[in-house]
Amino acid sequence: MHFRGIGTATPAARYTKAECLAAFEKSDWFARLDARAHVVARAVLQRDNGIEARRLAVDSLDEVFTIDPNTLARRFLAHAPVLAARAAASAIATSGLTAPDLGAVIVSTCTGYLCPGLSGHVVERLGLRADVLAFDLVGQGCAAALPNLQLAHALLTANVCTHVLSICVEVSSAAIYLDNDPGVVISACLFGDGAGAAILSRQPAPAGRRIEWIASTSLIEPSQRQALMFEQRDGMLRNILTRAVPALAAAYAQQVLTTVLGRAGLQTADVSAWILHAGGRDVLLAIERQFGLSGDDLRYSAAMLREYGNLSSAFVYFVLEAALADAAPAGWWWLSSFGAGFSCHGALLRVS
């Protein structure tokens, strides 16, 4: 399987963490939450948390604090199809292919639910063939990009189709929830909205950089499900985020990396570019220590986190796009995501 094109999309509105704190402090919610929640929000939004800004699908930050099921559902429906189609159109444009060339589309999300699913909206907006194979994957959280790509790999390997469109789209502002739980408050300060897409093909593009999917593996540990997950409360999604997440992410990411590199006869030092999901600054630091890397090794993940926040499943597409734009050195690249489950996935790429 080869990556033929990459595309990303975000809402136009950019909000700094200082602006987010100011909006929170003047909202009705500020008075409804306790002093501890105020301290947590200020600590996250005033100190160096690795994030400077986020893109949110709202015209004003005041809208963020209207939190009810109908408002959030309308926000997801209004923005998820648009972001997904924009990212996909960008990926198609860079692939040298056209919409009718695509035999399958796979769409992942965890921040909203539609029936019929998002794939149908993408088919309509992009003018994909009526007989395109369409898959909607839900509930995999921040880790979803890799399972999405693994399904694309299976379809291509089985000769079911020649080209697959992979999309991850998250409207985190449509999954906003507030209460006095520190993990809930921190989540509200971390996540942004965006979509990422890739065109995967059996054969590489005739020109340009070649990115080949070599091998992958997954690790799912249900006993740690409570460490990071969504739950339904009052008809809305409530994020559960615990202090154990950075250590879990680093440990499982190490296991996945060791497994795939071991099978390929490679060492960590053989990896020339790291395309990693960044749950947050503390997660990146934990992975840096666990892998024995430097901050520079994770510079693409850190840069995307700083400008966009945690984009959940879409994040790794932004990191891959950044590495390609920077002409990162050819060789072995490592692509990895982790999230709810607790799950972790990794793939070895060969770039030339």
Side-chain angles (χ1 to χ4, degrees):
M1 181 173 83
H2 299 264
F3 287 75
R4 284 280 297 261
I6 300 290
T8 58
T10 63
R14 179 184 187 271
Y15 299 105
T16 67
K17 60 185 181 182
E19 290 171 328
C20 291
L21 178 59
F24 171 54
E25 290 178 334
K26 72 176 185 179
S27 73
D28 293 342
W29 274 99
F30 189 76
R32 294 164 65 178
L33 299 185
D34 62 22
R36 184 188 184 195
H38 298 167
V39 170
V40 171
R42 285 169 173 155
V44 175
L45 294 173
Q46 289 180 327
R47 299 176 185 172
D48 180 12
N49 68 341
I51 298 171
E52 291 301 324
R54 292 179 286 168
R55 307 304 196 280
L56 300 173
V58 292
D59 294 325
S60 164
L61 284 173
D62 294 340
E63 296 177 36
V64 171
F65 300 100
T66 301
I67 303 174
D68 64 78
N70 289 340
T71 296
L72 300 183
R74 285 194 298 267
R75 185 174 297 152
F76 186 81
L77 177 58
H79 295 283
V82 174
L83 290 170
R86 281 179 50 208
S90 179
I92 293 171
T94 62
S95 72
L97 302 172
T98 63
D101 294 323
L102 305 177
V105 56
I106 308 167
V107 186
S108 298
T109 191
C110 70
T111 48
Y113 176 76
L114 297 179
C115 182
L118 274 168
S119 62
H121 291 267
V122 171
V123 169
E124 178 184 25
R125 287 176 174 273
L126 296 179
L128 302 185
R129 303 196 317 252
D131 66 345
V132 69
L133 301 176
F135 301 91
D136 288 88
L137 306 182
V138 299
Q140 295 177 311
C142 295
L146 269 290
N148 185 307
L149 295 169
Q150 288 168 335
L151 175 55
H153 180 256
L155 292 171
L156 294 170
T157 301
N159 293 326
V160 173
C161 51
T162 304
H163 308 290
V164 178
L165 169 59
S166 161
I167 304 171
C168 283
V169 56
E170 304 293 1
V171 185
S172 298
S173 61
I176 191 74
Y177 193 100
L178 286 175
D179 63 23
N180 288 315
D181 181 272
V184 169
V185 176
I186 292 170
S187 294
C189 299
L190 295 181
F191 286 91
D193 300 342
I199 303 296
L200 296 315
S201 302
R202 283 192 227 160
Q203 299 298 324
R209 300 200 84 172
R210 294 193 172 191
I211 309 171
E212 183 180 4
W213 177 283
I214 300 299
S216 72
T217 195
S218 296
L219 189 160
I220 299 175
E221 183 48 75
S223 68
Q224 298 293 346
R225 183 180 296 135
Q226 296 294 329
L228 180 62
M229 61 179 288
F230 268 134
E231 66 174 6
Q232 287 280 350
R233 185 175 293 190
D234 302 324
M236 297 177 288
L237 294 171
R238 179 180 184 271
N239 197 36
I240 295 175
L241 176 64
T242 67
R243 292 182 178 181
V245 168
L248 287 172
Y252 291 147
Q254 177 71 67
Q255 290 183 49
V256 168
L257 175 70
T258 300
T259 297
V260 175
L261 291 188
R263 291 171 181 169
L266 300 172
Q267 304 292 327
T268 300
D270 295 317
V271 176
S272 58
W274 298 89
I275 314 300
L276 303 182
H277 175 64
R281 181 203 58 183
D282 291 347
V283 171
L284 278 184
L285 290 175
I287 291 175
E288 182 183 316
R289 290 190 295 267
Q290 185 79 41
F291 287 17
L293 301 176
S294 68
D296 187 62
D297 292 319
L298 304 184
R299 62 190 180 278
Y300 301 122
S301 296
M304 296 303 99
L305 181 67
R306 186 180 311 112
E307 184 57 30
Y308 299 105
N310 184 342
L311 293 164
S312 189
S313 65
F315 191 88
V316 291
Y317 297 85
F318 284 73
V319 181
L320 181 56
E321 187 177 57
L324 291 170
D326 191 49
W332 300 110
W333 290 16
W334 181 248
L335 173 66
S336 185
S337 63
F338 45 83
F342 199 94
S343 60
C344 184
H345 316 274
L348 182 66
L349 310 179
R350 181 163 52 204
V351 179
S352 59

